[in-house]
Amino acid sequence: MDSALENSICRSRYVTSSQTETATAGTPEPYPGLPLQYPDSIRLIAFDPVAKAFRVTFINVRLSDAPQYVALSYTWDQPLVPAGQRFRGLRFSHTLLDAIEQFRHISACLWWIDALCINQDDPVEKAGQVRMMRTICETAYNIYVWLGPEDADSEPAINLMRKLQHFAAQRLIDKDDTSIEFSDKELRKRGFPLKEDPSWISLLKTIDRPYFRRMWVIQELAAGKESKDSVSAFLGNRYCLSWYLMALSIQCFRELRWQTQLQLTLSMRRVRATWITDDVINVIWTVRAFQSNDLSIYEKLHIYLESFRAFQTSDPRDKINALYGLITAKDQKSCIIMPDYSVPASDIYRDVTGKMIIGARSFELLSTVNAIPQHQIPNLPSWVPDYSTRSFQGHNRPYYKASGVAPFVASWSPGSNALQAHAAFVDEVTRVSDLPRSRGDDNKAPFLAWLSMAAEVCSSNLFIWMMHLFRLEPDDEGPKGYEQFWRTACGNAGFNHYPVLTEYGWIFRKALVHGFLNLLGDQDELVDLISNFERLMGFPDGHLGNFASADGADDSMHFWNILNEITSMRTFFYTKSGRMGLGPLSLQPGDQIAIFSGGRPIYFPREHEEYHEFLGDGCIHGLMNGEGVPENGQSTEIQLR
């Protein structure tokens, strides 16, 4: 952005509906718009398209009588321009100024821009306008998406996106859902660039722009008109795309698993590429699908709360407030979510979580608590998730039934930091691994440490265990504790089975060979490594070939994928009764293991003098299907804070 625009703001005039005023540079003054008179009032703004100075006219209207207007969707970024300053009560970021400069020359156009049309310093007005945002976006004649300025990746990314649009549209017409390999042969056949072409990396970088991580974007676009042309995406001043077609192309890119295959290819070539999982497009598709089905308000909100944890907001309260516009008018009357900017984020998070747990009669949200020192929100009760941080999925798999048929029993009072639950204490942690696995870590090193610990507690050592494992045939049971370990490591689930089939133990051994031998060298050296390893262990030539074959590699990849999901942000532990399990990173020897009445996974409440601190959930082999529930059903009421 050029400095002339920034300077023009300092000298600009803001014309309200009744007065004209001149701003003074650097002077923080009150918001210039007139107060909103009615509950359904909004402000629209018009830019002077010919004036050299930056001029804005505010117009107060009732939403039911509003003229045609365009809603602007963009990224709230920091810092302000200039940093920390406001102009006549208005806050401008670099991204917003770029967008305004792009669009302000459009004549006879009224705009709704949240940062300008809402008095950000008035919590009452802000909460009221947030409650109306769904209707504001639905009423808009059009929504303009500002992706940001053009860069070197824009042209190749847009060209590739247009090819994907055409390809995706044709697949819809033909009702073609066949899988297509991401190979040079298939790409050339369909007119796409080859795998080595840099335009694929340009596409990944474009998808990874900050816009695709912004929380409010989901509400703005999900609430837009169903017309394919009602939302337009702009990239710089040269590219304008239908948001629908752009989203369709990227969705096709995902559904064909081309993105996954591309990123794996880049990883093998040691080319750094952002691994993009959830983003705005995926979530908007999800939101629109859920708006038309029969899920309860609690089920929808649980999905939204988890799906949106990775998205960004400038105010942590908006991780909850932004969900209000995604639920139907009927569900809004439940008052589970009510936008409020007069209370701290900790109160909002606590009240929503309490209402969800009691209303849904389910402890599922407890599985999203990160019991580690990464909370950004102070004063959160231990049982309340910090929705401002990226979550990991706990061990609350739908097929777990640790409490058997016991009914859900819990109580909570609005505004209280205490959640009461009925717990049966079934075991105690005696040993915890020194090497837990953090998110994003390579899982092989922690896993090897866990394997060594399991072998040790089973009166053996890792070398003897490995000798046993590599000498076994597929039908052999393995050394003591072996089956318990591999079932614990994968959560006793995989290949769509629970409990997982016994044959999975053979796949586990393949994963060990493929995973750990590959730690020693590149793929080209694997054959020599296997041969040397066989001689070292005294195995016949070719004995490990079954493990390291191409099929073994596929099975190994599947196993490590499951481990990535199950073990993320987990540590391995051993219990007083000889069980193995996975639990939260904060686990310590002496911590109690509990089954909550009506809960699915295992829980870890740490005892204090007058209450219990909630650490998180986990899984323990042999306790996930009601085996640990006392025969008499006896439990103790505990207070989580």
Side-chain angles (χ1 to χ4, degrees):
M1 180 196 321
D2 58 44
S3 59
L5 178 57
E6 295 184 22
N7 292 335
S8 70
I9 295 177
C10 297
R11 302 189 304 269
S12 64
R13 293 189 305 164
Y14 296 86
V15 184
T16 68
S17 55
S18 68
Q19 58 187 3
T20 300
E21 303 182 48
T22 303
T24 303
T27 303
E29 296 190 26
Y31 179 76
L34 290 178
L36 298 174
Q37 293 179 288
Y38 304 100
D40 65 341
S41 291
I42 65 170
R43 295 185 189 90
L44 299 176
I45 59 175
F47 301 110
D48 189 331
V50 297
K52 293 182 180 180
F54 187 83
R55 296 179 180 176
V56 177
T57 301
F58 285 86
I59 304 171
N60 287 14
V61 298
R62 300 190 72 168
L63 191 54
S64 56
D65 300 325
Q68 283 190 353
Y69 62 91
V70 175
L72 180 63
S73 181
Y74 62 100
T75 304
W76 275 62
D77 61 353
Q78 298 294 338
L80 303 177
V81 181
Q85 289 192 12
R86 299 183 303 171
F87 301 97
R88 202 61 176 137
L90 298 178
R91 295 173 177 151
F92 295 89
S93 66
H94 284 281
T95 302
L96 178 54
L97 286 176
D98 284 339
I100 291 174
E101 178 67 2
Q102 173 68 26
F103 299 126
R104 75 184 182 97
H105 300 292
I106 302 176
S107 60
C109 185
L110 293 174
W111 296 83
W112 185 84
I113 303 174
D114 54 358
L116 306 184
C117 295
I118 300 175
N119 183 357
Q120 302 295 324
D121 294 324
D122 184 343
V124 176
E125 178 185 307
K126 188 175 179 180
Q129 292 287 286
V130 166
R131 289 193 285 270
M132 294 172 59
M133 280 188 65
R134 179 189 180 110
T135 308
I136 292 172
C137 293
E138 288 176 337
T139 306
Y141 172 72
N142 207 325
I143 297 176
Y144 280 6
V145 171
W146 176 246
L147 298 177
E150 182 181 347
D151 61 20
D153 292 302
S154 298
E155 183 172 355
I158 294 298
N159 290 338
L160 182 53
M161 207 175 290
R162 284 172 174 158
K163 290 182 179 180
L164 283 166
Q165 286 176 8
H166 177 76
F167 179 62
Q170 192 61 48
R171 280 173 63 87
L172 283 178
I173 294 172
D174 297 340
K175 298 182 179 179
D176 182 4
D177 58 359
T178 57
S179 177
I180 300 173
E181 184 183 0
F182 188 72
S183 65
D184 286 343
K185 178 182 177 181
E186 295 293 339
L187 292 172
R188 185 183 294 109
K189 179 179 177 181
R190 289 162 176 80
F192 288 107
L194 302 184
K195 290 194 299 183
E196 301 284 336
D197 194 288
S199 61
W200 291 106
I201 298 179
S202 295
L203 178 62
L204 288 179
K205 289 181 178 179
T206 300
I207 298 173
D208 196 40
R209 283 184 173 234
Y211 180 87
F212 294 94
R213 294 288 186 271
R214 181 177 167 242
M215 182 82 172
W216 280 111
V217 166
I218 300 164
Q219 178 172 264
E220 292 163 0
L221 299 183
K225 299 179 187 297
E226 292 294 334
S227 169
K228 296 179 181 180
D229 298 321
S230 66
V231 183
S232 302
F234 294 83
L235 183 57
N237 58 12
R238 290 201 299 159
Y239 301 108
C240 175
L241 299 169
S242 160
W243 171 266
Y244 172 83
L245 292 177
M246 184 179 74
L248 184 65
S249 67
I250 296 175
Q251 192 73 1
C252 176
F253 182 51
R254 296 258 171 68
E255 288 177 351
L256 288 172
R257 297 186 60 80
W258 283 8
Q259 176 182 318
T260 302
Q261 295 176 62
L262 171 62
Q263 289 171 315
L264 287 173
T265 300
L266 293 174
S267 298
M268 293 177 65
R269 288 165 43 197
R270 291 178 169 80
V271 175
R272 184 178 179 183
T274 303
W275 192 275
I276 304 165
T277 52
D278 295 327
D279 67 18
V280 167
I281 293 173
N282 278 342
V283 174
I284 288 173
W285 259 212
T286 301
V287 168
R288 286 189 166 170
F290 287 143
Q291 285 179 342
S292 59
N293 62 25
D294 296 328
L295 290 177
S296 72
I297 177 60
Y298 302 106
E299 291 172 312
K300 290 179 183 177
L301 283 179
H302 182 83
I303 293 169
Y304 293 164
L305 285 169
E306 272 302 281
S307 299
F308 301 163
R309 288 281 288 270
F311 292 89
Q312 300 167 355
T313 61
S314 56
D315 185 332
R317 291 172 291 194
D318 287 335
K319 293 302 276 290
I320 301 296
N321 292 338
L323 301 180
Y324 184 83
L326 298 178
I327 57 180
T328 63
K330 176 183 176 182
D331 289 336
Q332 287 174 352
K333 295 178 181 178
S334 66
C335 296
I336 297 175
I337 292 178
M338 186 59 64
D340 189 349
Y341 292 92
S342 64
V343 297
S346 58
D347 288 1
I348 294 176
Y349 290 8
R350 177 201 62 204
D351 290 350
V352 166
T353 305
K355 291 175 184 177
M356 290 279 291
I357 290 174
I358 301 303
R361 299 185 59 77
S362 168
F363 290 116
E364 283 194 48
L365 277 180
L366 295 185
S367 293
T368 67
V369 171
N370 291 338
I372 50 178
Q374 292 183 353
H375 284 180
Q376 298 178 5
I377 305 300
N379 304 318
L380 274 181
S382 64
W383 54 274
V384 177
D386 185 348
Y387 299 109
S388 69
T389 62
R390 188 181 183 96
S391 175
F392 68 96
Q393 179 62 46
H395 287 100
N396 192 0
R397 300 294 184 268
Y399 33 73
Y400 289 157
K401 296 180 181 179
S403 65
V405 297
F408 171 85
V409 182
S411 61
W412 171 80
S413 299
S416 173
N417 285 338
L419 174 70
Q420 282 78 29
H422 282 236
F425 292 95
V426 295
D427 212 335
E428 179 182 324
V429 176
T430 56
R431 184 172 176 181
V432 180
S433 171
D434 294 330
L435 190 60
R437 181 174 173 253
S438 299
R439 183 186 300 110
D441 287 352
D442 189 320
N443 57 21
K444 296 182 180 63
F447 187 78
L448 182 58
W450 300 352
L451 185 68
S452 178
M453 175 178 160
E456 180 183 338
V457 298
C458 291
S459 302
S460 183
N461 61 55
L462 183 57
F463 179 79
I464 295 175
W465 252 37
M466 296 292 277
M467 288 288 289
H468 272 294
L469 294 180
F470 295 154
R471 288 184 185 279
L472 295 174
E473 296 300 322
D475 295 333
D476 292 338
E477 293 183 0
K480 178 185 176 182
Y482 160 68
E483 181 175 359
Q484 184 183 2
F485 178 78
W486 70 255
R487 287 188 181 275
T488 299
C490 67
N492 205 15
F495 295 116
N496 299 317
H497 290 285
Y498 176 79
V500 75
L501 301 178
T502 303
E503 291 85 345
Y504 203 55
W506 179 247
I507 297 173
F508 164 69
R509 275 177 268 162
K510 290 183 181 182
L512 285 181
V513 173
H514 237 278
F516 295 124
L517 288 184
N518 272 294
L519 285 176
L520 305 177
D522 295 331
Q523 186 71 24
D524 294 339
E525 301 172 347
L526 184 57
V527 175
D528 291 337
L529 285 169
I530 290 174
S531 178
N532 292 333
F533 195 70
E534 287 174 339
R535 287 195 295 271
L536 177 66
M537 294 293 193
F539 296 147
D541 289 344
H543 177 79
L544 296 181
N546 289 334
F547 295 101
S549 65
D551 289 341
D554 290 341
D555 289 340
S556 173
M557 177 68 73
H558 184 88
F559 177 83
W560 291 117
N561 286 341
I562 291 178
L563 243 67
N564 275 328
E565 179 186 5
I566 295 293
T567 65
S568 179
M569 304 298 288
R570 295 292 175 182
T571 192
F572 180 73
F573 66 89
Y574 203 70
T575 76
K576 191 173 184 178
S577 63
R579 296 186 176 97
M580 301 178 192
L582 297 176
L585 299 183
S586 56
L587 210 57
Q588 298 175 1
D591 282 333
Q592 297 295 306
I593 300 167
I595 295 173
F596 288 1
S597 183
R600 292 181 179 274
I602 296 294
Y603 297 107
F604 301 90
R606 179 176 293 165
E607 187 174 8
H608 293 267
E609 187 173 346
E610 297 182 352
Y611 68 96
H612 283 79
E613 174 190 358
F614 183 74
L615 303 181
D617 73 349
C619 65
I620 297 178
H621 180 59
L623 288 182
M624 304 310 294
N625 199 31
E627 302 94 333
V629 177
E631 292 184 3
N632 59 6
Q634 185 175 359
S635 62
T636 303
E637 183 177 87
I638 63 173
Q639 186 178 95
L640 301 175
R641 286 191 190 173

